[in-house]
């Protein structure tokens, strides 16, 4: 049976029935030699450093925390770059939000146990890497903004 709505009334809340998926906040970090930091994950793909947003945590705090944990690099957050739905597999979707980050240290890169490898890539190398197009878009955008300065 249909629902009657009168002027000024709203449709019933369906928030609990909506599809839910995690939010992952990622950072594009360039080193002083103008290379982007990427990490190799368990799917043998390159990805940006970052991770899942925790309840009550701001996206900016999340990405700064994750980069410090995963690469031992402190950063400041400069600008939001992009957001997109990453369909990993059937029933596995993640909302990705990317930020451009400024490196605030000269300490060496150190990869955590979360990833198989960390590496630094020059801009022309990124297009040939095995990684989602959304990450490539975010990297290109941050290189573009940095070179306009």
């Amino acid at each position: 049976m249909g629902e009657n709505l009168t002027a000024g009334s709203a449709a019933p809340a369906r928030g609990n029935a909506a599809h839910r998926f995690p939010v992952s906040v990622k950072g594009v970090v360039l080193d002083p030699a103008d290379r982007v930091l990427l990490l190799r994950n368990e799917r043998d793909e390159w990805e940006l450093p970052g991770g899942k947003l925790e309840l009550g945590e701001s996206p900016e705090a999340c990405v700064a925390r994750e980069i410090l944990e995963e690469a031992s690099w402190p950063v400041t957050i400069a600008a939001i770059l992009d957001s997109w739905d990453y369909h990993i597999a059937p029933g596995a979707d993640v909302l990705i939000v990317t930020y451009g980050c400024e490196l605030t240290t000269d300490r060496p890169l150190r990869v955590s146990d979360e990833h198989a490898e960390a590496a630094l890539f020059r801009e022309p190398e990124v297009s040939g890497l095995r990684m989602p197009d959304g990450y490539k878009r975010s990297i290109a955008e941050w290189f573009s903004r940095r070179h306009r300065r």
Side-chain angles (χ1 to χ4, degrees), residues 70-120:
E70 294 175 352
S72 192
W73 276 0
V75 297
T76 57
I77 310 310
I80 190 166
L81 299 173
D82 198 3
S83 62
W84 49 285
D85 175 38
Y86 182 20
H87 180 72
I88 299 170
D93 288 77
V94 178
L95 175 65
I96 304 289
V97 180
T98 59
Y99 284 86
C101 302
E102 302 287 346
L103 186 60
T104 61
T105 187
D106 59 357
R107 77 172 75 152
L109 176 63
R110 190 183 78 225
V111 66
S112 74
D113 294 338
E114 292 180 54
H115 293 90
E117 181 182 3
L120 297 163

Side-chain angles (χ1 to χ4, degrees), residues 1 5 11 28 37 62-63 74 86 102 108 120 127 135 138 142 145:
M1 184 163 206
L5 299 176
V28 181
L37 168 63
C62 173
V63 73
Y86 182 20
E102 302 287 346
L120 297 163
S127 64
Y135 291 151
S138 294
W142 192 231
R145 290 187 193 189

Side-chain angles (χ1 to χ4, degrees), residues 16-137:
N16 288 334
H19 179 70
R20 293 179 183 211
F21 48 92
V23 175
S24 186
V25 187
K26 302 287 187 167
V28 181
V29 184
L30 304 180
D31 76 348
D34 213 27
R35 299 172 300 176
V36 64
L37 168 63
L38 295 174
L39 306 169
R40 189 183 301 271
N41 63 27
E42 70 281 353
R43 294 181 305 278
D44 198 33
E45 294 176 334
W46 289 101
E47 67 179 358
L48 295 167
K52 290 184 183 163
L53 184 63
E54 295 180 0
L55 191 60
E57 183 178 43
S58 74
E60 297 85 357
C62 173
V63 73
R65 173 184 55 77
E66 288 283 347
I67 293 169
L68 187 60
E69 289 173 5
E70 294 175 352
S72 192
W73 276 0
V75 297
T76 57
I77 310 310
I80 190 166
L81 299 173
D82 198 3
S83 62
W84 49 285
D85 175 38
Y86 182 20
H87 180 72
I88 299 170
D93 288 77
V94 178
L95 175 65
I96 304 289
V97 180
T98 59
Y99 284 86
C101 302
E102 302 287 346
L103 186 60
T104 61
T105 187
D106 59 357
R107 77 172 75 152
L109 176 63
R110 190 183 78 225
V111 66
S112 74
D113 294 338
E114 292 180 54
H115 293 90
E117 181 182 3
L120 297 163
F121 295 92
R122 298 210 176 279
E123 185 176 12
E125 298 173 301
V126 172
S127 64
L129 297 175
R130 183 168 184 238
M131 67 188 309
D133 288 338
Y135 291 151
K136 291 178 182 181
R137 253 192 341 265

